[in-house]
Amino acid sequence: LRDMNQQGVDVQVVSIATPLFGYHLPTDQGLKLAREVNDEIAAMTRRWPQRFAGLATLPVQDIGASVRELERAVNTFGLKGAELDTVVNGKSWDEPEFLPLFKAAEELGAVLFYHPQPNNNLVAEHFRKFAMGNSFGVPLEDTLVVAALIFGGVLERCPDLKVCVAHGGGPACFGMGRMDRGWQVRSEARTNISHPPSHYQARLYYDSITMSEKALRFLIGSVGIERVVLGSDWPYVAWDPSPVAWINSLESLSQDEKEAILWKNLEKLLGI
């Protein structure tokens, strides 16, 4: 709360720290962990209802258990959805086994927020000495989950699904032209979707953590201002100025655009 006050943040959407996802655990232990975390986050939202909203964590090694826990988190506690890793024990989110979870989230109106674990990313081993695992590997995994949700047909099968991807979606929007070209010339890219990938990209939400004004403007131009929301990576990223102050300092953003990113889009997305 002290940090929030210093950073000009009225409401924080709280979620689990990614190393604690626990997807590798046996289902009973994963469910126990998820319920413990969700109970604690729900307690925060009850104690400070004007300052906190919450996202659940789910034992996605068992989709049935995940659906039930998501229903409990949303219907019993009023949490706004769930935070998810970009991979599940080596599996991508386009696997058919995950579709019931997407259908359940769509029906509940729950937001699914994707944030990768830095120690899981694809380039960590290759670029460890340059700290590229976090600076580039993490946004690369954001891009891969965008591609999985689009090419896997998740967004086509669940048109009302609410999904937000961290770090501006990584370089996904920059690479969308190549994805469209692949869809045009490769039949396997058209297996699950009836439109080019760019048709689906503005169905997703993206947080503002691009660390670059030019990149943020490119993101807004690609998906529309109404699909960009404030992110912080708190407490792992040291901000100076704060995320709020950074957005407010950007000369290329109009006042209406700043207000959309800072609160209007999130209030609409989360229903708060």
Side-chain angles (χ1 to χ4, degrees), residues 92-115:
S92 175
W93 283 99
D94 59 308
E95 294 293 335
E97 67 189 83
F98 299 123
L99 186 60
L101 177 58
F102 293 127
K103 288 290 187 181
E106 182 182 35
E107 184 175 345
L108 290 165
V111 177
L112 302 180
F113 174 54
Y114 281 96
H115 190 296

Side-chain angles (χ1 to χ4, degrees), residues 188-211:
E188 58 267 41
R190 299 190 295 272
T191 301
N192 300 306
I193 53 176
S194 55
H195 301 281
S198 58
H199 175 81
Y200 306 92
Q201 71 180 119
R203 293 189 186 178
L204 300 169
Y205 289 82
Y206 307 82
D207 81 17
S208 59
I209 307 180
T210 61
M211 303 301 182

Side-chain angles (χ1 to χ4, degrees), residues 240-268:
D240 185 18
S242 72
V244 175
W246 181 67
I247 293 294
N248 280 327
S249 74
L250 301 182
E251 295 182 358
S252 67
L253 295 181
S254 69
Q255 187 60 34
D256 286 345
E257 288 176 320
K258 291 175 182 178
E259 290 181 4
I261 293 172
L262 290 174
W263 60 275
K264 288 183 177 179
N265 294 341
L266 271 171
E267 287 194 356
K268 182 178 180 180

Side-chain angles (χ1 to χ4, degrees), residues 23 86-93 95 98 120:
Y23 300 165
T86 49
V87 293
V88 181
N89 298 328
K91 296 179 182 178
S92 175
W93 283 99
E95 294 293 335
F98 299 123
N120 274 352

